[in-house]
Amino acid sequence: MIGLGYIGLPTASLLATKGFKVHGVDVNPKVVETISRGDIHIYEPDLDILVKSAVHSGNFTASKEPIASDVYIIAVPTPFQNNHNPDISYVESAIRSLAPHLKPGNLIILESTSPVGTTEKIGEWLTQLRPDLKIPSRSKPMSVSSDSEPIRISHCPERVLPGQILKELVDNDRIVGGVDPASTDKARIFYEQFVNGTIHATDARTAELAKLTENAFRDVNIAFANELSLICDKLEVNVWNLIKLANYHPRVNILQPGPGVGGHCIAVDPWFIVDSAPEQARLIRTAREVNDAKPGFVIKKVLQKAAGLQSPVIACLGLSFKADIEDLRESPSVEIVKKLAEEKVGKIIAVEPHIQVLPSRLCNLPNLELGDLAAALKRANIIILLVNHRAFSEIDWNILKEKVIIDTRGVLH
Ligand code: SAJ
């Protein structure tokens, strides 16, 4: 397993507890050290128990370098660069690191969410790196011959929801698409050994676009809700009530507006479609722009309210990108808190029950502190609810009536 992050670590541990011999690889020595002790470096419900049991079973080891294996799974980040174009350099590094170990008949599976054509590129890189091996491609499928078996290369995008990863890893349907039909088949057989959901076979390009499409679908639908929240603000209509009423229609199912869209998936993947087909992907691009603009709308609202106060103390409830997780990646709440602190609008108290220290992006702002919920509610004259964590469900909003409350999640509706 190359990459021991939010996808690689749970998948590797699951496979190990199912009896596979798994070797995990990560470039970060701290990650390797932590996992080798049976501990975790990221939070996901029950992952600590799974990793401990996987490591103690002897089936799960970790190091900085790959070792010779039958199956290589790549679960490394695929971020975007400044211009929103995809950066697949981590995939290329993973392939370079495993290439010397490859033997005929090995299976390579790319799980990282990737732009269309990446799985085929793996074949092209390997043709250069290992000219001694048979490498299939879309135009040159390869069946097994008597002399030596080809390498098989497939994409099987991860589709698990943070917060429910361990359940969804087993229960969700999976899509597998190889660079040729034999690659698809080999990957399908592999996943059938530990996935209860159905394995849907296709080709690599379709599998890549299917994953991007799923996240773009959700992004477009959240953008619709976020756009409605702006329209309602202008027209003085309660957006939460509006959506509830519209959703009584049997064919309407509007999602919820929020402070913006975060996480390393939905805020990123639609750009891969826009990058590949910029003229065609107009709606997908606009949805990204609508969602990316939502934190700015929240900031403007807070600044307006703060302007009417002598010494604003602002409690920002929640920093993670969604409820009940500790993941701060691409979080709109972090963006909002950072901007408010930079604007020197007043004292900012961030409340995030899932972290112990502020992330580096936020730790050098003198007017910002990480605080505890009760004290923050007491001291603040403006309260912004940014994330609907379970930990905030106990708040008695009635006793906070004299304070300014900005509810970006519709909890008070
Ligand atoms: N959000 C809203 N309103 C909503 C729903 C979500 O504002 O009605 C916001 C959340 O607060 C969050 C963001 O959208 O900031 C994304 O959250 P999410 O729960 O929709 O999705 P993720 O990013 O946690 O996980 C998604 C999932 N994809 C889909 O549901 C299509 C998951 O299955 C994928 O595996 C994951 O992306 C991924 O890794 O690609």
Side-chain angles (χ1 to χ4, degrees):
M1 176 69 66
I2 315 227
L4 295 174
Y6 285 91
I7 302 302
L9 181 57
T11 310
S13 323
L14 174 75
L15 284 167
T17 55
K18 295 265 176 191
F20 290 85
K21 280 261 172 220
V22 185
H23 187 73
V25 179
D26 203 286
V27 288
N28 185 336
K30 270 200 175 146
V31 167
V32 170
E33 206 182 290
T34 307
I35 294 168
S36 302
R37 280 199 313 266
D39 290 333
I40 52 174
H41 64 103
I42 46 172
Y43 176 75
E44 174 66 24
D46 299 329
L47 183 63
D48 50 349
I49 303 166
L50 188 71
V51 170
K52 212 169 247 14
S53 115
V55 171
H56 290 162
S57 73
N59 278 350
F60 184 27
T61 52
S63 75
K64 280 179 67 190
E65 293 295 333
I67 57 170
S69 311
D70 301 309
V71 181
Y72 296 86
I73 303 178
I74 299 168
V76 296
T78 45
F80 58 57
Q81 294 155 333
N82 290 342
N83 283 344
H84 293 131
N85 31 32
D87 172 5
I88 56 166
S89 59
Y90 297 102
V91 178
E92 188 173 356
S93 306
I95 293 299
R96 286 187 183 280
S97 73
L98 66 81
H101 303 282
L102 276 179
K103 291 186 303 297
N106 283 170
L107 170 65
I108 298 174
I109 299 167
L110 175 66
E111 282 216 9
S112 311
T113 305
S114 298
V116 174
T118 309
T119 314
E120 289 169 2
K121 266 212 177 90
I122 291 178
E124 289 164 24
W125 292 326
L126 286 176
T127 308
Q128 300 291 319
L129 292 164
R130 292 292 305 269
D132 56 311
L133 294 170
K134 288 186 177 168
I135 313 286
S137 68
R138 190 156 54 128
S139 56
K140 207 173 80 180
M142 279 181 187
S143 52
V144 182
S145 65
S146 51
D147 43 338
S148 85
E149 254 192 271
I151 299 295
R152 301 298 179 193
I153 310 168
S154 281
H155 184 47
C156 180
E158 61 84 9
R159 302 161 98 196
V160 287
L161 193 72
Q164 295 186 39
I165 291 181
L166 299 190
K167 181 181 178 300
E168 294 205 355
L169 262 182
V170 176
D171 289 345
N172 284 5
D173 284 10
R174 298 296 292 250
I175 296 172
V176 292
V179 293
D180 69 343
S183 293
T184 307
D185 222 37
K186 194 153 183 165
R188 181 185 55 74
I189 292 165
F190 174 69
Y191 281 96
E192 276 172 354
Q193 295 176 81
F194 66 97
V195 169
N196 289 340
T198 307
I199 313 294
H200 303 276
T202 181
D203 57 80
R205 296 177 79 83
T206 311
E208 287 161 343
L209 191 55
K211 167 60 197 253
L212 301 178
T213 300
E214 290 161 15
N215 281 354
F217 171 86
R218 194 146 169 90
D219 197 44
V220 168
N221 281 278
I222 300 169
F224 183 75
N226 277 333
E227 186 164 290
L228 278 179
S229 73
L230 307 188
I231 295 168
C232 285
D233 184 69
K234 180 173 162 61
L235 302 181
E236 295 178 11
V237 171
N238 181 313
V239 67
W240 316 102
N241 195 27
L242 172 87
I243 290 173
K244 190 174 91 191
L245 293 172
N247 280 349
Y248 285 128
H249 185 286
R251 284 175 295 284
V252 174
N253 186 11
I254 304 168
L255 295 180
Q256 298 299 299
V261 168
H264 205 58
C265 315
I266 296 188
V268 175
D269 303 352
W271 287 118
F272 293 2
I273 302 181
V274 175
D275 181 69
S276 308
E279 281 173 32
Q280 291 76 17
R282 293 187 299 155
L283 181 63
I284 294 172
R285 177 202 294 274
T286 304
R288 269 294 63 242
E289 287 165 355
V290 168
N291 286 334
D292 273 354
K294 193 66 198 291
F297 171 84
V298 176
I299 291 162
K300 210 162 137 200
K301 277 262 162 250
V302 181
L303 294 179
Q304 277 166 2
K305 299 286 184 191
L309 296 172
Q310 246 188 357
S311 38
V313 178
I314 306 171
C316 299
L317 308 191
L319 285 177
S320 63
F321 82 83
K322 65 175 189 177
D324 305 322
I325 58 168
E326 44 96 61
D327 192 342
L328 305 184
R329 290 178 299 172
E330 315 289 330
S331 173
S333 312
V334 171
E335 187 183 335
I336 291 166
V337 168
K338 184 169 189 283
K339 187 81 181 158
L340 289 175
E342 284 169 351
E343 291 279 330
K344 300 197 171 50
V345 56
K347 178 95 207 142
I348 317 284
I349 311 167
V351 180
E352 177 46 76
H354 301 90
I355 61 170
Q356 277 75 48
V357 282
L358 284 172
S360 55
R361 279 168 290 170
L362 298 181
C363 65
N364 285 327
L365 296 156
N367 54 340
L368 169 65
E369 65 182 75
L370 185 67
D372 119 283
L373 179 63
L377 293 178
K378 202 163 170 200
R379 282 168 63 197
N381 41 27
I382 299 180
I383 300 167
I384 323 171
L385 183 80
L386 292 168
V387 186
N388 44 344
H389 286 315
R390 261 195 297 269
F392 301 151
S393 62
E394 302 295 308
I395 297 173
D396 182 357
W397 295 99
N398 283 322
I399 60 164
L400 301 168
K401 267 189 184 139
E402 78 285 5
K403 306 191 186 239
V404 177
I405 295 170
I406 298 174
D407 174 13
T408 69
R409 295 282 181 178
V411 169
L412 293 174
H413 156 64

